Amino acid sequence: MVTKAITATTVGINAFKIEAEVDVINSLPNMSIVGLPDSAVSEAKERVRSAIKNSGFSFPTGRVIVNLAPADIRKEGTNFDLPIAIGILKEEGIEIPENEKMAFLGELSLDGSLRKINGVLPLVTGLKENGIDTVFVPYENAKEAALAEGIHVFGAKDLREIVAHFADTPIKETKVDIHKYLEENAFVDYIHDFKEVKGQQKAKKALEIAAAGGHNVLMSGSPGSGKTMMAKCMASILPPLELKEALELTKIYSISGLLTPDEPLMTKRPYRSVHHTASPNGIIGGGTNPKPGEITLAHRGVLFLDEIVEFPRQVLEVLRQPLEDGEVVISRAKTTIKYPSSFILIGAMNPCPCGYLGDKEKPCTCSEIQIKRYQSRLSGPLLDRIDLIINVPRLSTEELVNIKTESEPSARIRERVIKARRIQAERYKDDGIFTNSELTPQLLKKYCNLDKDSQEILKQAAQVYQLSGRKYNRILKIARTIADLSGAKDIKKEHITQALQYRG
Ligand SMILES: [Zn+2]
């Protein structure tokens, strides 16, 4: 007799339905798993055998053959233990109904208890899309699984609980009110607040524009100018996640194993700070068992690259594609995996190797050639994807002491950002984009009409600064965001003038 249990496997952040077929034949006791399993799946043999025996059930005396179908999808991870065990228990006559709409996910310990697995949300979402209406998962994964909504989730602590569920002791269904959960957890106190940053009005405004319009930023300034601190404050002014974004982000953190059982849903936009010594795989993603890199963990949030010119050229070159397309493609031997990676890039750099070019107090010790070489490490194509370029001068002790006005708290800036985002969401609802940074040349024509005065100013600037077409468009996008922040329907002269200050 062949028994079957439904399960799933992830490819990227998507999941495919898998059938675990089990057959026992009269032969020497042995167990084999076929159907393109990776090593973690092959090791299921040992775990499943011990788990079944130690749970007090009998294990077949013949040869056990497990087939994971379809065979052309590579199976990864440890979530196949449970469906395989279920198939074997059925072979041994345990009453578990054959049900095409029921699935099982989970790793087994040798003693039969179920261990938390990675990727539950994408797995359960994939199963639901394949018509599955009931899923059994490890207890610690139950809340995360229930985020998928529209599928019955049962969290079990061990194999015995699942068998008992079908006999006489049903497991309580896990339910999560996802809208309520997101609402309750979206607003939190952030560690870093713009009210702690003295002065630097222009840089702060640039970061506000970046948050509002989804623009990339490059800050250049001496050590001690507060670049890193201001980048950290970015997290406090980003708008809350929409439900769809939260679920997408949760999938990424789920397959990366970064969710905790108590916080199953990502409710805040991520802020990821990456050091230039990190491995390219760690930044971009990939490896033998591909995992999302930092640029994917920063999806819908901020990626901060401090000392951006120190990053390996290879890494900076690879960044161009996600900055353009909002996703990264990772090639492997047989297949390619796509991970979403749409983020706001914030880069920080010193103006020169010694760091003090243009500083009011400390002299720069670099030669002209050194400075040129240093600044040219950022390639043109990468710079083309950065909308806002600003100088962040270090304030002298005297200047710092003389600043008497209180800085505006992040909460107030965030309100303006949220308003501006709403305006954009409404304006672009039929265009398939969310923010001004995504405006294509065609959409720029549609939404960035200029009156005569603004046209004249921009035309003059284009001549004086010899603006390329790309730079011209960047200024239009920034002007659009500045106008949105001030609630203006049309781009006016003052918005263009302000936008011109951020051209680098
Ligand atoms: Zn220098």
Side-chain angles (χ1 to χ4, degrees), residues 350-358 362-367 370-371:
N350 291 338
C352 65
C354 87
Y356 292 99
L357 179 70
K362 289 196 185 183
C364 168
T365 56
C366 311
S367 71
Q370 281 175 317
I371 295 170

Side-chain angles (χ1 to χ4, degrees), residues 420-461:
R421 284 270 182 140
R422 277 202 202 112
I423 293 170
Q424 294 166 74
E426 177 60 27
R427 185 193 304 135
Y428 303 136
K429 63 180 191 288
D430 299 325
D431 296 305
I433 62 169
F434 300 99
T435 56
N436 295 330
S437 66
E438 300 165 274
L439 282 167
T440 59
Q442 288 89 340
L443 290 174
L444 273 171
K445 277 200 192 103
K446 190 170 164 193
Y447 294 118
C448 299
N449 280 323
L450 300 181
D451 57 26
K452 255 215 158 112
D453 280 359
S454 324
Q455 262 180 28
E456 195 48 44
I457 286 190
L458 194 51
K459 218 165 97 189
Q460 280 173 16

Side-chain angles (χ1 to χ4, degrees), residues 302-322:
V302 168
L303 180 74
F304 177 53
L305 304 184
D306 202 357
E307 299 184 56
I308 188 168
V309 294
E310 304 292 344
F311 278 74
R313 186 156 273 252
Q314 169 206 2
V315 170
L316 295 180
E317 291 298 309
V318 177
L319 273 181
R320 283 162 47 190
Q321 185 215 344

Side-chain angles (χ1 to χ4, degrees), residues 295-352:
I295 61 168
T296 296
L297 294 173
H299 184 56
R300 303 286 177 217
V302 168
L303 180 74
F304 177 53
L305 304 184
D306 202 357
E307 299 184 56
I308 188 168
V309 294
E310 304 292 344
F311 278 74
R313 186 156 273 252
Q314 169 206 2
V315 170
L316 295 180
E317 291 298 309
V318 177
L319 273 181
R320 283 162 47 190
Q321 185 215 344
L323 285 174
E324 193 76 30
D325 309 328
E327 62 181 21
V328 59
V329 179
I330 292 162
S331 298
R332 303 173 61 199
K334 280 185 183 145
T335 143
T336 55
I337 294 179
K338 268 186 204 168
Y339 290 123
S341 60
S342 174
F343 52 84
I344 295 175
L345 173 73
I346 300 186
M349 63 183 282
N350 291 338
C352 65

Side-chain angles (χ1 to χ4, degrees), residues 194-491:
F194 274 112
K195 71 169 184 263
E196 289 147 29
V197 181
K198 279 194 161 190
Q200 302 294 10
Q201 291 315 321
K202 193 176 159 192
K204 284 181 191 168
K205 192 68 199 175
L207 293 173
E208 175 181 338
I209 294 168
H215 305 283
N216 300 318
V217 189
L218 178 64
M219 293 188 278
S220 168
S222 304
S225 59
K227 299 176 303 233
T228 312
M229 175 64 184
M230 282 192 282
K232 282 180 184 163
C233 291
M234 250 320 247
S236 64
I237 63 167
L238 294 173
L241 283 170
E242 299 289 329
L243 180 57
K244 221 175 118 191
E245 295 176 315
L247 284 170
E248 191 185 26
L249 199 56
T250 303
K251 284 184 181 180
I252 294 168
Y253 278 71
S254 177
I255 55 168
S256 308
L258 294 172
L259 290 178
T260 61
D262 297 333
E263 291 170 46
L265 182 68
M266 292 293 292
T267 54
K268 283 183 289 175
R269 290 182 191 272
Y271 169 84
R272 306 291 297 188
S273 173
V274 188
H275 197 256
H276 58 81
T277 53
S279 75
N281 276 347
I283 300 172
I284 304 298
T288 31
N289 273 327
K291 276 200 161 181
E294 288 292 338
I295 61 168
T296 296
L297 294 173
H299 184 56
R300 303 286 177 217
V302 168
L303 180 74
F304 177 53
L305 304 184
D306 202 357
E307 299 184 56
I308 188 168
V309 294
E310 304 292 344
F311 278 74
R313 186 156 273 252
Q314 169 206 2
V315 170
L316 295 180
E317 291 298 309
V318 177
L319 273 181
R320 283 162 47 190
Q321 185 215 344
L323 285 174
E324 193 76 30
D325 309 328
E327 62 181 21
V328 59
V329 179
I330 292 162
S331 298
R332 303 173 61 199
K334 280 185 183 145
T335 143
T336 55
I337 294 179
K338 268 186 204 168
Y339 290 123
S341 60
S342 174
F343 52 84
I344 295 175
L345 173 73
I346 300 186
M349 63 183 282
N350 291 338
C352 65
C354 87
Y356 292 99
L357 179 70
D359 194 79
K360 282 165 247 162
E361 293 176 327
K362 289 196 185 183
C364 168
T365 56
C366 311
S367 71
E368 211 165 300
I369 294 174
Q370 281 175 317
I371 295 170
K372 265 214 170 118
R373 202 181 295 143
Y374 182 82
Q375 291 181 341
S376 68
R377 276 195 232 166
L378 282 186
S379 73
L382 182 67
L383 281 173
D384 270 343
R385 284 157 183 87
I386 297 176
D387 289 341
L388 296 147
I389 300 175
I390 41 167
N391 289 320
V392 185
R394 193 168 64 101
L395 298 180
S396 65
T397 325
E398 205 191 325
E399 281 172 312
L400 279 172
V401 172
N402 282 336
I403 295 174
K404 294 281 186 276
T405 47
E406 293 242 333
S407 291
E408 192 179 27
S410 290
R412 274 229 302 275
I413 304 175
R414 190 172 190 244
E415 276 172 32
R416 289 196 296 271
V417 169
I418 292 172
K419 251 190 219 161
R421 284 270 182 140
R422 277 202 202 112
I423 293 170
Q424 294 166 74
E426 177 60 27
R427 185 193 304 135
Y428 303 136
K429 63 180 191 288
D430 299 325
D431 296 305
I433 62 169
F434 300 99
T435 56
N436 295 330
S437 66
E438 300 165 274
L439 282 167
T440 59
Q442 288 89 340
L443 290 174
L444 273 171
K445 277 200 192 103
K446 190 170 164 193
Y447 294 118
C448 299
N449 280 323
L450 300 181
D451 57 26
K452 255 215 158 112
D453 280 359
S454 324
Q455 262 180 28
E456 195 48 44
I457 286 190
L458 194 51
K459 218 165 97 189
Q460 280 173 16
Q463 279 166 358
V464 174
Y465 304 120
Q466 298 186 321
L467 298 178
S468 65
R470 267 177 186 273
K471 277 192 181 157
Y472 186 94
N473 283 349
R474 258 161 47 193
I475 287 163
L476 270 183
K477 288 182 198 181
I478 295 295
R480 183 65 267 174
T481 301
I482 294 170
D484 288 338
L485 275 168
S486 62
K489 194 171 160 288
D490 297 312
I491 299 174

Side-chain angles (χ1 to χ4, degrees), residues 29-41:
N30 188 358
M31 184 168 166
S32 52
I33 300 176
V34 297
L36 211 62
D38 79 353
S39 60
V41 181

